[in-house]
Amino acid sequence: QVQLVESGGGLVQAGGSLRLSCAASGRTFSFYAMGWFRQAPGKEREFVAAISWSGGNTYYADSVKGRFTISRDNAKNTVYLQMNSLKPEDTAVYYCARSQRTYSSYYERSSYASWGQGTQVTVSS
């Protein structure tokens, strides 16, 4: 079973930036798409961004498009989420996830089989 470990969360003022990292164990990282989700208190976990196995295709929620960038380094078994122009509404626990072997949509939680423990991002106004 793959292990996913997120890092890089913290407290930042509105308009600031953070870069989240997610390191994966194992040798099959490059076979899978990866995604980032977030969950704010009292809300459902929601899709943020996803990247194909090669890194050639990326997908974003409308709420973060133009501000967040997902990338991956298959040689380092790591996926990143660069978050710029942060807003208080971006405050949440951020989770990375590895896709199923087959899936229908990058945007659905059910397309992902393995999840990290999450990292807290807090944006103050």
Side-chain angles (χ1 to χ4, degrees):
Q1 182 74 6
V2 67
Q3 288 188 323
L4 303 173
V5 180
E6 300 99 334
S7 61
L11 173 64
V12 64
Q13 288 188 332
S17 298
L18 282 174
R19 188 194 196 203
L20 304 184
S21 300
C22 173
S25 64
R27 302 179 182 179
T28 60
F29 177 77
S30 62
F31 295 174
Y32 296 88
M34 297 294 296
W36 285 97
F37 286 71
R38 66 186 182 187
Q39 188 167 17
K43 294 189 175 181
E44 294 281 324
R45 192 173 298 188
E46 65 175 6
F47 171 79
V48 175
I51 188 166
S52 61
W53 65 271
S54 67
N57 294 292
T58 56
Y59 308 84
Y60 297 94
D62 288 342
S63 59
V64 307
K65 204 171 291 183
R67 300 188 297 122
F68 290 12
T69 302
I70 189 170
S71 61
R72 67 190 296 162
D73 185 337
N74 286 343
K76 294 183 178 180
N77 277 18
T78 302
V79 62
Y80 305 97
L81 186 68
Q82 177 67 45
M83 305 186 295
N84 299 329
S85 301
L86 282 161
K87 305 175 181 180
E89 51 263 44
D90 294 318
T91 295
V93 177
Y94 283 71
Y95 299 89
C96 73
R98 192 185 78 171
S99 71
Q100 308 270 10
R101 289 288 285 174
T102 59
Y103 48 88
S104 58
S105 168
Y106 287 103
Y107 302 91
E108 300 295 328
R109 290 174 56 184
S110 60
S111 295
Y112 297 86
S114 301
W115 296 81
Q117 83 289 348
T119 185
Q120 176 70 46
V121 171
T122 303
V123 184
S124 63
S125 57

